[in-house]
Amino acid sequence: MKSTIAKSTDSAANAHATSSGHFPHLRLRRLRGSAEIRSMLQETHLRKEQLIYPLFITEAAGIKKPISSMPGIHQQSIDAALFEIEEVAGLGLTSVILFGIPDEKDPEARGAWSENGVVQTATRQIKERFPNIVVVADTCLCEYMSHGHCGVVADGQVLNDPSLAVLAKTAVSQAQAGADLIAPSDMMDGRVAAFRAALDAHGYEHVPIMAYSAKFASSMYGPFREAAESAPSFGDRTAYQMNPANAREAMREIELDIQEGADIVMIKPALPYLDLIREARTLFKLPIAAYNVSGEYAMVKAASQKGWLDERRVVTEILTSIKRAGADLIITYHAKDMAGWLS
Ligand code: PBG
Ligand code: ZN
């Protein structure tokens, strides 16, 4: 009796499968038949509010210098950056991330944390002119250190704990200048906790931290280092940035940053690490950012300029794939182009 019931249930399931679960009854192409139907059923969408546009800010005035490996991107002084932000806002973008290029670099990274540092001054002016633009401050020391490393160096080593105080001081000075979001990109251990404590102690408990949590020692930062003039003068960053082969360790980095108080976690670069964006999306509830880095941009630009790829279609596909993998926010040099195409 028992087995009869089981058998009839099985055959009912089979009958159902043959009537609707398989070709020729089932045809997925039915939902691809027209542009309208395809559009109705699109699962992933890009939104301008989720794209963050990077700016490289120099001192002095009247400067707008193209970066050869990043067509369309410039080093520029604050006055020129304000013009570009007007354009950025006109395109419907709502946020920028700032990188500073100081005139003087030194072993204490003074330019990173001084009240009149280039990022602090730019932040004040941007917030004054464009209060609705979300200003993200990248917090690192490499652009300001004479040796180009992301932390304090002694005897050829990048020291972890002594770097924390300098980084935290930088974060506080950025918040003081009006930055809406603080984004530590140095990869020192314990920096999120140090930032949170320092921000809270100075009355910036409302300022969120977007941590570059899983930041890899990637081959794709080359054009950025030209743009930010931040290449290390000796060695490389493999003793603090992550090994590109390590997925479990990436989840540990993210988990620790969450425990230390990160509000948003980031994975960087984006395209070669889509698997980790997806895994983080599954494991964690926080918003996830992905950094579509300079090398990813340069590859697309170079191939497009040669006529080998259709730039608009490639960029749309790449940014959509980053969102589909699970990113909420995307930092991308394509933001202005994409915003134009989304209009
Ligand atoms: C520096 C920093 C880097 C990037 C963002 N912040 C470069 C590096 O680690 O050398 C890379 C961004 C890009 O390539 O677009 N901490
Ligand atoms: Zn750095």
Side-chain angles (χ1 to χ4, degrees):
M1 194 60 194
K2 220 176 171 185
S3 63
T4 319
I5 293 167
K7 203 173 180 182
S8 65
T9 311
D10 276 358
S11 54
N14 287 339
H16 186 260
T18 36
S19 69
S20 63
H22 294 290
F23 179 84
H25 309 282
L26 179 66
R27 293 175 183 271
L28 297 190
R29 285 188 56 188
R30 283 185 197 119
L31 297 182
R32 297 180 201 139
S34 71
E36 293 72 23
I37 290 189
R38 289 194 293 275
S39 175
M40 285 170 76
L41 293 165
Q42 180 164 327
E43 298 176 28
T44 307
H45 295 90
L46 293 169
R47 289 178 47 222
K48 296 175 186 183
E49 297 89 330
Q50 297 180 315
L51 304 177
I52 304 173
Y53 185 62
L55 292 168
F56 297 99
I57 317 277
T58 67
E59 307 207 67
I63 293 169
K64 183 138 183 164
K65 189 177 153 210
I67 297 150
S68 60
S69 54
M70 301 177 74
I73 306 294
H74 300 79
Q75 288 185 347
Q76 56 193 325
S77 45
I78 296 173
D79 53 329
L82 290 170
F83 270 111
E84 191 173 16
I85 293 170
E86 194 158 9
E87 187 195 349
V88 161
L91 284 162
L93 294 168
T94 53
S95 71
V96 295
I97 180 164
L98 305 185
F99 297 95
I101 305 154
D103 280 345
E104 307 280 341
K105 300 177 193 260
D106 61 53
E108 276 106 55
R110 288 175 183 283
W113 44 266
S114 98
E115 193 190 332
N116 298 315
V118 59
V119 162
Q120 288 78 359
T121 308
T123 301
R124 281 193 296 270
Q125 294 196 25
I126 295 167
K127 291 305 292 185
E128 196 180 305
R129 282 261 320 265
F130 305 98
N132 298 327
I133 289 285
V134 174
V135 172
V136 183
D138 175 275
T139 311
C140 204
L141 305 179
C142 49
E143 299 111 278
Y144 309 91
M145 286 288 198
S146 32
H147 48 65
H149 276 290
C150 302
V152 173
V153 166
D155 300 326
Q157 303 288 322
V158 178
L159 305 178
N160 194 87
D161 300 10
S163 301
L164 296 180
V166 187
L167 285 160
K169 183 161 66 169
T170 303
V172 170
S173 75
Q174 292 169 334
Q176 216 145 32
D180 297 291
L181 202 48
I182 301 294
S185 72
D186 52 284
M187 287 302 280
M188 299 302 127
D189 285 322
R191 91 268 208 218
V192 173
F195 277 40
R196 190 69 274 158
L199 289 169
D200 291 2
H202 288 84
Y204 301 107
E205 64 286 329
H206 55 283
V207 176
I209 296 173
M210 175 165 75
Y212 288 68
S213 301
K215 177 175 179 179
F216 290 88
S218 173
S219 55
M220 302 236 188
Y221 304 150
F224 173 95
R225 289 176 192 171
E226 180 197 344
E229 298 178 11
S230 65
S233 61
F234 67 90
D236 57 29
R237 305 208 201 285
T238 49
Y240 43 105
Q241 297 181 351
M242 286 191 59
N243 179 344
N246 291 2
R248 293 194 308 267
E249 189 187 357
M251 296 308 119
R252 293 187 77 196
E253 281 285 3
I254 294 171
E255 204 167 5
L256 282 174
D257 281 0
I258 295 171
Q259 284 168 10
E260 290 183 26
D263 300 283
I264 302 171
V265 292
M266 195 195 301
I267 291 160
K268 173 186 172 183
L271 266 195
Y273 302 89
L274 289 182
D275 56 331
L276 303 184
I277 297 173
R278 166 50 49 190
E279 193 176 350
R281 175 70 297 146
T282 308
L283 289 175
F284 306 110
K285 294 196 172 67
L286 279 80
I288 294 174
Y291 200 138
N292 176 222
V293 302
S294 59
E296 299 175 69
Y297 177 81
M299 292 192 290
V300 169
K301 279 286 177 185
S304 304
Q305 287 187 348
K306 280 183 171 288
W308 291 351
L309 289 173
D310 177 333
E311 183 174 356
R312 176 178 177 159
R313 291 189 53 211
V314 169
V315 172
T316 305
E317 185 173 338
I318 286 174
L319 297 180
T320 302
S321 77
I322 297 168
K323 281 212 74 182
R324 193 197 60 231
D328 300 286
L329 304 175
I330 306 175
I331 303 175
T332 179
Y333 305 96
H334 297 294
K336 278 168 53 185
D337 289 334
M338 193 67 239
W341 297 325
L342 286 171
S343 299

